[in-house]
Amino acid sequence: MANNKFIYDYTNLLSERIGKENGINLEDLNKIQDKIDDAFDTVFSNPTLEHKCVCENLDNVDLSKIKSLAKDIRGNFENFIVLGIGGSSLGSDALFTALSKSGYNLLPADKRNGPRFFVVDSIAPDIFIDLINNLDLTKTMFCVVSKSGKTTETMTQFFYTQKRCEELLGESWKEHFVVLTDETDNFLNNFALEHNLKVMYIPTLLGGRYSVLSAVGLLPAAVLGYDIDAIIAGAKSMLAQSQNRNVLENAPLLSAVLNYLNYQNGKKISILIPYTDKLNMFDDWYCQLWGESIGRDLDKDGNKLCGDARVGQTPIQVTGPSVQHSQFQLYLEGLDDKVITFIGVNNYATDDNLPKNLDKLFGEHVTDGRTFGDLLGIERMASTEALVQYSKPSETILIDHIDEEGMGKLFMFFMLKMMFSGALLGINPFGQPAVESIKKGVANMLKGQEVFQSRNKIEL
Ligand code: PA5
């Protein structure tokens, strides 16, 4: 395996850098050693079945089966469309955005390393139906992803495309669908079995937002020609690194602990800023992982948490350097309620020298030996330094380059950080009871439940 170095740098969270008010004194970690031990044990020594499943999935996922199905799809289709939403779509979108060439779908077939790829997590008709209208359905494979097998948006997309394909292709519509779902008595699974569709199963205990390293993320990745062994190898090396009780040698645990101390110190907002647009969808994936796992009004034992005892750190998705020109004013001079995680990249797959004319603007030789990637690094460091000047906390993850191994490490880092954080906060980071209540609400309204008519409004 190529060695894509991953560095977790927490210097700018410490009081010696940003002062006592917002900074952390590492000696304070001793005061919460029991909590740190408990977080480690919750994930590794005494895990719930869900914790175990996230880690064991890396050994259990059937890569050969995924590769064999992917090979078949790559040889037979020009378009590959993921139909799914939330945890069932964000992971594959994050991998595609990170690992594909810019403008990938516009490239001719011989310049692409697989079919054109779209993730449709929308039922907005002027997006979804427009896309379907513009595809040659005879050359399109749909990958329907729904763990529960009954999510309204995904099932609507599925049955719409299924009908369109059936009208066009007759019985052979069945060759244009692969279904990823739970191996239970759910609507989608039953429908798929009844119609002899290709099916791959998602482990029952692996929740949507933790499922990217199963067929949910890996089948699309393999169809696109990515090295899924390297994705899993990257994730496994992160998992191995995190099985160390010494918090100062365990990056996901340390990041969780420092974030927990920041949260206790009023940092109720977590902002993830990658310095590359290639990680935008990864950032969306992170926001779902964080928001859905951490927003809780019950503790891990099921006791109701009221008022300020409720748990929730709001995740925000932005990208550098554009965020410097939009929200940084707020981050620097606004409320002391944010902690920022930067992701920096050392080497970009495509890069070039900075244009020489910049020397006229900034001074002689400033561009000597410098590339666009170097400028991005300087932009990121200028932002972290500005935060230090304003005594605001930030941490930085640095990876050598964006590749399969690096993505595996990033996904696993944040899933482990999430699971450790759940334990530190005393909540269960699995399940999403409140989201389920909206799913039920949609179903009830579809079935005719009366809709509340608002009266307090201004019509123009
Ligand atoms: O993380 C989650 O569990 C959710 O975001 C789900 O993935 C999302 O609601 C879609 O659910 P399903 O995969 O059951 O269609």
Side-chain angles (χ1 to χ4, degrees):
M1 181 174 71
N3 194 9
N4 189 344
K5 208 184 228 170
F6 181 108
I7 295 172
Y8 171 62
D9 184 343
Y10 54 98
T11 313
N12 295 333
L13 293 174
L14 302 181
S15 50
E16 61 207 53
R17 264 297 264 171
I18 59 169
K20 285 199 176 115
E21 203 176 322
N22 286 325
I24 291 164
N25 181 346
L26 277 186
E27 279 166 21
D28 287 348
L29 266 53
N30 296 327
K31 297 185 195 151
I32 57 163
Q33 190 57 51
D34 288 354
K35 249 182 163 339
I36 298 173
D37 288 340
D38 177 62
F40 184 88
D41 290 339
T42 302
V43 177
F44 292 126
S45 316
N46 188 20
T48 64
L49 293 174
E50 285 88 352
H51 288 104
K52 257 174 103 134
C53 189
V54 173
C55 300
E56 289 179 357
N57 166 61
L58 301 184
D59 286 321
N60 295 342
V61 60
D62 191 343
L63 297 180
S64 321
K65 198 168 165 195
I66 291 174
K67 283 186 220 169
S68 144
L69 178 55
K71 192 171 168 213
D72 197 35
I73 295 170
R74 284 165 61 75
N76 289 299
F77 295 94
E78 285 183 10
N79 308 306
F80 187 77
I81 320 292
V82 172
L83 305 177
I85 201 159
S88 287
S89 67
L90 288 167
S92 55
D93 215 351
L95 280 167
F96 171 66
T97 312
L99 299 175
S100 66
K101 278 187 179 300
S102 182
Y104 171 87
N105 283 333
L106 301 173
L107 297 172
D110 61 343
K111 294 247 163 54
R112 276 185 268 118
N113 196 22
R116 285 185 212 94
F117 183 76
F118 299 90
V119 178
V120 195
D121 65 355
S122 169
I123 47 165
D126 45 0
I127 292 180
F128 174 63
I129 298 177
D130 265 358
L131 175 68
I132 304 304
N133 287 344
N134 287 324
L135 291 173
D136 179 351
L137 295 181
T138 64
K139 295 175 180 159
T140 300
M141 171 61 108
F142 292 95
C143 178
V144 188
V145 191
S146 177
K147 177 105 193 312
S148 62
K150 60 177 188 194
T151 300
T152 315
E153 297 84 352
T154 308
M155 296 307 283
T156 305
Q157 294 174 332
F158 171 43
F159 287 128
Y160 181 81
T161 47
Q162 181 262 329
K163 187 92 182 69
R164 292 278 302 260
C165 286
E166 192 174 4
E167 281 163 7
L168 186 72
L169 305 161
E171 271 302 283
S172 60
W173 71 266
K174 295 174 183 170
E175 286 150 32
H176 291 250
F177 287 84
V178 53
V179 166
L180 309 186
T181 188
D182 202 350
E183 192 173 10
T184 51
D185 181 17
N186 75 54
F187 193 89
L188 179 60
N189 189 26
N190 293 340
F191 187 93
L193 295 177
E194 191 187 320
H195 293 86
N196 275 322
L197 304 187
K198 295 178 190 68
V199 183
M200 289 193 106
Y201 290 118
I202 309 165
T204 299
L205 292 166
L206 198 62
R209 58 191 178 273
Y210 295 93
S211 70
V212 58
L213 301 176
S214 71
V216 172
L218 298 181
L219 177 65
V223 168
L224 285 161
Y226 306 149
D227 180 351
I228 60 172
D229 292 292
I231 297 174
I232 291 296
K236 279 187 178 173
S237 79
M238 183 58 66
L239 178 60
Q241 197 277 332
S242 72
Q243 281 163 334
N244 184 337
R245 266 193 183 277
N246 182 347
V247 65
L248 294 178
E249 291 172 7
N250 180 336
L253 178 59
L254 182 57
S255 181
V257 167
L258 297 175
N259 185 63
Y260 169 74
L261 292 172
N262 267 308
Y263 180 71
Q264 300 300 332
N265 193 23
K267 309 297 177 278
K268 306 294 186 207
I269 296 174
S270 156
I271 303 168
L272 182 62
I273 315 182
Y275 266 67
T276 165
D277 301 69
K278 289 207 148 214
L279 293 178
N280 279 355
M281 287 310 302
F282 177 81
D283 208 339
D284 267 11
W285 171 87
Y286 161 76
C287 286
Q288 190 215 358
L289 176 75
W290 210 250
E292 226 172 59
S293 305
I294 223 168
R296 290 290 183 273
D297 66 0
L298 293 181
D299 71 12
K300 67 177 185 337
D301 302 317
N303 302 310
K304 190 87 180 158
L305 300 167
C306 298
D308 286 348
R310 282 174 300 182
V311 177
Q313 188 183 42
T314 304
I316 303 276
Q317 187 261 27
V318 287
T319 310
S322 59
V323 65
Q324 293 163 209
H325 304 271
S326 56
Q327 298 194 26
F328 247 79
Q329 174 63 33
L330 171 71
Y331 301 170
L332 294 172
E333 291 190 358
L335 293 181
D336 258 349
D337 55 359
K338 303 166 197 66
V339 55
I340 293 181
T341 304
F342 290 95
I343 304 182
V345 180
N346 283 332
N347 300 295
Y348 293 80
T350 304
D351 205 349
D352 206 347
N353 295 327
L354 287 172
K356 276 280 162 212
N357 268 347
L358 284 182
D359 290 352
K360 292 183 192 150
L361 183 61
F362 292 109
E364 268 182 54
H365 304 303
V366 298
T367 61
D368 286 3
R370 285 201 168 125
T371 65
F372 278 67
D374 294 328
L375 177 58
L376 272 177
I378 289 171
E379 300 254 3
R380 177 178 49 75
M381 288 184 286
S383 297
T384 59
E385 279 313 308
L387 287 163
V388 170
Q389 297 311 315
Y390 280 83
S391 304
K392 308 287 185 187
S394 72
E395 60 183 2
T396 299
I397 291 166
L398 258 185
I399 53 173
D400 265 351
H401 45 270
I402 295 181
D403 65 358
E404 287 90 337
E405 182 198 345
M407 291 308 294
K409 286 183 179 175
L410 280 172
F411 281 122
M412 205 60 200
F413 175 88
F414 282 100
M415 288 196 273
L416 286 161
K417 177 174 174 177
M418 183 62 256
M419 293 192 289
F420 289 133
S421 296
L424 290 162
L425 292 162
I427 52 121
N428 172 12
F430 301 102
Q432 59 283 335
V435 173
E436 295 306 322
S437 74
I438 309 178
K439 288 189 181 182
K440 273 194 203 119
V442 172
N444 288 340
M445 285 189 190
L446 276 173
K447 284 189 269 185
Q449 185 194 57
E450 204 176 321
V451 177
F452 174 76
Q453 299 296 327
S454 55
R455 282 173 307 200
N456 310 87
K457 50 191 175 185
I458 298 175
E459 287 189 20
L460 300 173

